[in-house]
Amino acid sequence: MITKENSKRVQANVNVDVAKDAEEVMDELGINPTTVINALYKKIAATGEIPFSFSLTADQKADLAVKRASRKVPVVKLRTKQEIEDFFENEN
């Protein structure tokens, strides 16, 4: 049993829309965020693992690869119409 003497307050920032969606599910199940968080902490303590897979989707991996590759591309600032035309003419 959790009492004031043996409890610790845990706070986290959650996206408002995600929180609303999750709380609707919890309401349907008849549980509250405290129950869910306690269950999560108990599972972590019992197994020594986070019970979720934290990995990127294929799309996220592809996006990350593009971001990493784009860091190596020099940035060219084009300020005039002539600079833009010259840039695209010299692209070959």
Side-chain angles (χ1 to χ4, degrees):
M1 177 177 192
I2 297 177
T3 65
K4 189 175 182 178
E5 294 80 31
N6 71 353
S7 67
K8 175 183 175 183
R9 182 174 189 81
V10 176
Q11 293 180 294
N13 293 319
V14 179
N15 175 282
V16 172
D17 294 329
V18 172
K20 287 178 183 175
D21 291 346
E23 288 166 4
E24 285 177 356
V25 173
M26 288 180 232
D27 287 344
E28 287 297 314
L29 293 170
I31 58 177
N32 59 42
T34 298
T35 301
V36 172
I37 293 168
N38 275 300
L40 173 62
Y41 271 54
K42 286 178 183 180
K43 183 76 168 182
I44 293 168
T47 64
E49 299 175 353
I50 305 293
F52 306 110
S53 174
F54 289 98
S55 59
L56 299 176
T57 65
D59 286 344
Q60 289 170 318
K61 288 178 187 178
D63 288 346
L64 185 58
V66 169
K67 287 178 187 175
R68 287 178 177 163
S70 69
R71 287 187 207 139
K72 298 174 186 173
V73 176
V75 175
V76 178
K77 292 185 180 182
L78 306 173
R79 294 180 179 89
T80 67
K81 181 179 178 181
Q82 186 61 50
E83 288 177 344
I84 294 169
E85 289 172 356
D86 291 346
F87 176 80
F88 285 106
E89 284 179 14
N90 296 327
E91 200 173 58
N92 300 331

